[in-house]
Amino acid sequence: MPVDPQLLEQHGLTVEEGARIIELLGREPSITELGIFSVMWSEHCSYKSSRVHLKTLPTTGPRVLQGPGENAGAVDIGDGLAAVFKIESHNHPSFIEPYQGAATGVGGIIRDIFTMGARPVALLNSLRFGSLDEPLVRRNVEGVVAGIAGYGNSIGIPTVGGEIEFDESYAGNPLVNVFCLGLAKADEIIRASATGAGNPVFYVGSKTGRDGIHGATMASAEFDEKSAEKRPAVQVGDPFMEKLLLEACLEVMHSDALVGMQDMGAAGLTSSTCEMGSRGGAGIEIDVALVPQRETGMTPYEIMLSESQERMLLVVKRGREAEVEAVFTKWDLHAVRIGEVTTDGRMRVKHHGEVVADIPNGALTDNAPQYRRPMARPAWLDEARTLAFDTLTPADAGAAFLRLLASPGIASKRWVYRQYDHMVRTNTIVMPGMGAGTIRVKGTDRALALSVDCNGRFVYLDPAAGAALAVAEAARNVACAGGEPIGATNCLNFGNPQRPEIMWQFGEAVRGMGEACRALGIPITGGNVSLYNETDGKAVLPTPTIGIVGLVEHADRVVTRAFAEAGHVVVLLGEGLGELGGSAYLKVLHGLIRGVPPALDLAREGALQRLLVTLAMERISRSAHDCAEGGLAVTLAESCFDTGVGVDVDVSELAGPAAGWGVIATLFGESASRAVVSVAPGDFGRLDAAARAAGVPITTLGQTGGDRLRIRVGGRSVVDVALAEAEQTWAHAIGDRFHRAH
């Protein structure tokens, strides 16, 4: 069929890309072929703007069993076991239809994990929304949280942690990033490849409908006033079907009848078919008339591009078909042979025997366009990085402290996580909100600590430094629990890559992330890129979310953030600097995102993390909490909450220039590589010796006890509040906003 510019534009393709398609095929494409190219060459599937940068990331290490290129990454955790994990985004669908957008994001990442032969055991999420004062934002928050809960709870996988931030830039484009981790035998990981000429190709799971058509293309464009019209592109999830699919797939994997398996995620049957063929160096021929359909009159175009949920593509050993079919019948699922593996390296699609698409796999995968897009440092950045304190008046420290505790980014997320089942499967060691999500590895002495983190304000002000700080904070959270960081995944959320300043942010963030991971010895085993996160030309804060997996050698020695009892010594590990650039204090009290983000010395960060793991595993630390958003004062407060143990400290040793900004910076500065640790008096000597041996600065601040939260500078109280009042402010700030709205 003739390919005109208007038709190409409707498919998210440029005129140049249209010409390249004709060149690769040696002819004009059919409408089905054009649809296939449109989704496979979309930003969401091809990473055409980001791949040149992603190649620079460190992806190998002694524990890495599977790096980027498969459905998920995998690392060796000992005892013949592997942790299989990945993070993915479902941002655009979650704005258009919050419940189903978030729910199907959870479903998709779960399938990525069990496709690898791993049983999913834990979920986390990283969410971003606009101001909770806006009714539309509150609707989005309620829908997204309900969608995550509805899917995760129903399928029986605990949500053990996560993070939520709020900023006006996310109002029209929320970020919904979902992380899943599963466990598998290290020598039984399944790859998504098609091999063996004549081996049958099976379609299993739900029937195909018209939901989700062009979902990948939608995720590769920015929002405008017509975005609500894209509602049909949002998939509909069925967690009960997915539970059956999970169990059936794992059962088939335990036999040796399976050659390969792939989730039908973004681009549905199209991506699973061509990617499996490409990985295996083979071709796949299918007849879409054989695909189970839940709607009448579906065209080959619609069947190939549908993103209906809970569907998998399997390649089975020839002669073992009945065995595989019996397993799926047992679980009351469709298992239909729709084609076979070929030797010609082509994706051939038939409809009632007539060929409707015939494309070399490489044209859709390896030969997809790659762009090194123009990059330019934003003109506004120098001004944004300038912070003139003489134009501001420092807030009263006590009032600022309570304002920060009540701000949604810092306040307790209990309103959110109480909707999640975090105890199902009985592996959860640390409750949500108490530190890194931590689960025991049954059958061993070990546990896994998990964290997802990113401070978009830091990345906005300095993308390289901000991304490195995200790596450091996520790894530090894991180390506080007693976990040695052993692997990472990322979800890179940015605006329109065709704008040079956005592409500069992206490139710099990847560079900073790579430097931090190399310095800390944490390989990145895979991830996701989500671009075009902007509405009416206004991009979200650049948000390269990092997920870290840490290995805890002794599950019974995991440490949480909360002070355990009265009479313990409270110390700060790390430098006592108080850097305010990009801080929550400036945002909440002065409405500013300005200044230079905190400096990060990666050697010091590594030393601190190793020390934190040692303190936990040697039973020296009784609590550990990293200093992050809100600074030292908020860290001390959060260490008191939930156990009701007060604290009395003097931060004179840390205080900057006398009055005013010196105290504010000391209390609320967000300098990196710091943690507050408590220790029983009898163990203080061991702590001190370990810190000195590690070369980590240590400052004794005071002790736990009482029913007040008291922070002094030179004997003068700058924060002195009843613990019950502070905790009430912190615990109910988010929930109260919804209760008032109703």
Side-chain angles (χ1 to χ4, degrees):
M1 60 170 289
V3 178
D4 62 70
Q6 185 178 359
L7 187 61
L8 287 169
E9 185 180 358
Q10 290 170 359
H11 283 78
L13 294 164
T14 66
V15 171
E16 292 77 16
E17 287 168 346
R20 187 168 177 181
I21 290 169
I22 293 171
E23 180 185 345
L24 287 166
L25 291 177
R27 55 176 169 78
E28 297 270 358
S30 69
I31 186 62
T32 301
E33 289 171 331
L34 188 62
I36 287 170
F37 273 102
S38 78
V39 290
M40 290 308 298
W41 283 13
S42 70
E43 197 72 62
H44 192 73
C45 290
S46 72
Y47 292 1
K48 57 189 174 185
S49 298
S50 58
R51 199 181 298 185
V52 293
H53 299 281
L54 298 177
K55 287 177 180 176
T56 66
L57 292 172
T59 57
T60 59
R63 290 188 180 271
V64 175
L65 300 172
Q66 179 62 58
E70 278 287 345
N71 286 295
V75 293
D76 190 327
I77 60 171
D79 293 312
L81 296 174
V84 179
F85 59 96
K86 192 181 182 186
I87 190 169
E88 284 268 11
S89 64
H90 233 221
N91 303 338
H92 289 67
S94 297
F95 175 71
I96 294 170
E97 216 304 303
Y99 184 97
Q100 290 296 349
T104 52
V106 174
I109 196 66
I110 290 171
R111 288 194 300 280
D112 281 342
I113 301 307
F114 73 72
T115 296
M116 300 287 292
R119 177 171 291 279
V121 294
L123 292 163
L124 290 85
N125 47 70
S126 175
L127 311 176
R128 297 290 186 278
F129 300 100
S131 168
L132 282 178
D133 296 330
E134 297 294 326
L136 177 61
V137 170
R138 290 196 300 271
R139 180 191 76 90
N140 283 343
V141 173
E142 287 182 307
V144 165
V145 171
I148 291 170
Y151 208 101
N153 295 355
S154 297
I155 200 170
I157 300 171
T159 299
V160 299
E163 55 149 11
I164 312 177
E165 279 292 345
F166 302 87
D167 183 83
E168 295 81 357
S169 71
Y170 303 109
N173 196 132
L175 303 184
V176 177
N177 296 176
V178 188
F179 172 106
C180 186
L181 177 137
L183 297 174
K185 290 185 177 178
D187 59 354
E188 294 183 2
I189 292 173
I190 302 294
R191 267 74 181 188
S193 64
T195 57
N199 277 336
V201 174
F202 274 83
Y203 171 112
V204 303
S206 294
K207 292 183 178 181
T208 293
R210 290 188 170 93
D211 52 324
I213 292 173
H214 272 299
T217 310
M218 177 192 72
S220 305
E222 60 190 80
F223 281 136
D224 55 30
E225 69 278 0
K226 296 183 179 179
S227 295
E229 298 171 10
K230 298 174 182 174
R231 194 175 302 272
V234 178
Q235 311 95 318
V236 178
D238 181 350
F240 302 104
M241 172 66 81
E242 178 130 332
K243 174 63 173 173
L244 298 175
L245 192 60
L246 185 160
E247 298 298 342
C249 287
L250 290 178
E251 185 171 332
V252 165
M253 290 172 188
H254 289 146
S255 74
D256 66 342
L258 188 69
V259 174
M261 179 184 297
Q262 171 89 334
D263 162 41
M264 292 188 211
L269 189 55
T270 290
S271 61
S272 54
T273 304
C274 68
E275 287 176 0
M276 285 188 79
S278 179
R279 289 192 189 106
I284 290 184
E285 180 178 296
I286 62 173
D287 192 321
V288 292
L290 302 174
V291 170
Q293 298 158 52
R294 67 167 182 261
E295 299 185 45
T296 58
M298 289 189 72
T299 65
Y301 181 103
E302 291 173 323
I303 295 168
M304 290 303 294
L305 269 61
S306 167
E307 293 184 10
S308 294
Q309 294 290 284
E310 294 86 39
R311 304 179 302 156
M312 311 287 282
L313 197 69
L314 277 62
V315 175
V316 174
K317 291 180 181 176
R318 187 166 42 178
R320 307 289 293 277
E321 296 92 339
E323 193 178 326
V324 170
E325 289 168 355
V327 171
F328 285 95
T329 299
K330 167 187 165 183
W331 290 99
D332 198 24
L333 292 171
H334 296 283
V336 180
R337 177 173 176 162
I338 63 169
E340 64 179 34
V341 178
T342 64
T343 58
D344 59 9
R346 300 182 76 83
M347 173 194 197
R348 189 172 295 106
V349 181
K350 295 181 176 180
H351 186 233
H352 295 294
E354 178 188 348
V355 176
V356 294
D358 190 349
I359 306 170
N361 283 323
L364 299 170
T365 55
D366 299 337
N367 292 323
Q370 284 192 49
Y371 299 123
R372 185 172 288 279
R373 296 197 185 275
M375 297 163 62
R377 189 177 187 273
W380 47 260
L381 190 57
D382 285 337
E383 183 186 353
R385 287 167 58 88
T386 302
L387 183 55
F389 286 108
D390 56 357
T391 65
L392 302 172
T393 301
D396 172 76
F401 174 68
L402 292 174
R403 283 273 303 278
L404 283 166
L405 291 181
S407 63
I410 288 174
S412 169
K413 310 307 185 292
R414 189 177 302 157
W415 180 88
V416 174
Y417 60 69
R418 64 192 284 271
Q419 299 182 50
Y420 304 149
D421 187 340
H422 42 264
M423 287 303 296
V424 64
R425 305 193 65 81
T426 67
N427 295 324
T428 308
I429 297 173
V430 177
M431 297 300 103
M434 294 296 287
T438 310
I439 57 165
R440 65 176 54 83
V441 181
K442 285 181 177 172
T444 77
D445 291 333
R446 296 184 173 92
L448 294 171
L450 322 169
S451 183
V452 287
D453 273 294
C454 183
N455 186 322
R457 294 188 300 272
F458 291 166
V459 187
Y460 173 80
L461 294 168
D462 186 332
L469 286 162
V471 173
E473 184 182 349
R476 198 182 319 127
N477 282 332
V478 160
C480 281
E484 174 197 353
I486 60 171
T489 179
N490 58 43
C491 198
L492 309 177
N493 307 273
F494 289 79
N496 185 338
Q498 296 174 55
R499 293 167 53 196
E501 64 271 25
I502 298 293
M503 208 61 232
W504 179 83
Q505 288 178 334
F506 184 91
E508 284 292 285
V510 171
R511 180 174 67 82
M513 182 176 288
E515 287 177 1
C517 285
R518 274 186 288 272
L520 298 173
I522 308 172
I524 294 175
T525 62
N528 178 65
V529 176
S530 176
L531 301 176
Y532 296 96
N533 288 291
E534 52 184 79
T535 304
D536 296 329
K538 295 181 180 177
V540 300
L541 290 180
T543 311
T545 302
I546 189 89
I548 299 280
V549 175
L551 182 61
V552 182
E553 286 294 340
H554 301 285
D556 61 346
R557 302 182 190 183
V558 168
V559 174
T560 70
R561 66 163 166 79
F563 294 142
E565 58 186 85
H568 285 178
V569 181
V570 179
V571 303
L572 176 71
L573 298 176
E575 293 274 71
L577 304 173
E579 295 158 279
L580 284 168
S583 65
Y585 168 86
L586 284 179
K587 175 65 175 170
V588 173
L589 275 298
H590 301 280
L592 297 175
I593 301 179
R594 293 186 77 88
V596 177
L600 176 62
D601 183 320
L602 287 163
R604 287 185 174 182
E605 180 68 44
L608 172 65
Q609 292 181 20
R610 290 188 293 273
L611 173 61
L612 287 165
V613 174
T614 297
L615 296 178
M617 292 302 98
E618 294 187 4
R619 301 186 192 273
I620 296 173
S621 53
R622 297 298 303 276
S623 72
H625 190 15
D626 82 304
C627 279
E629 196 166 22
L632 178 60
V634 167
T635 302
L636 288 165
E638 290 176 341
S639 299
C640 295
F641 297 156
D642 292 303
T643 54
V645 177
V647 71
D648 189 337
V649 299
D650 192 313
V651 297
S652 299
E653 275 191 61
L654 311 174
W661 287 112
V663 169
I664 293 295
T666 301
L667 296 181
F668 307 121
E670 297 179 8
S671 297
S673 311
R674 302 187 302 165
V676 168
V677 170
S678 66
V679 59
D683 286 328
F684 178 79
R686 295 170 67 203
L687 170 66
D688 187 57
R692 292 180 190 281
V696 174
I698 177 172
T699 306
T700 303
L701 301 179
Q703 68 175 15
T704 62
D707 59 1
R708 298 190 72 77
L709 209 160
R710 185 177 289 117
I711 305 175
R712 289 173 284 116
V713 177
R716 178 174 69 90
S717 288
V718 290
V719 172
D720 188 357
V721 62
L723 181 56
E725 178 189 347
E727 186 161 2
Q728 181 84 359
T729 299
W730 172 82
H732 298 289
I734 290 179
D736 284 351
R737 281 171 163 82
F738 288 96
H739 296 147
R740 285 197 302 269
H742 292 309

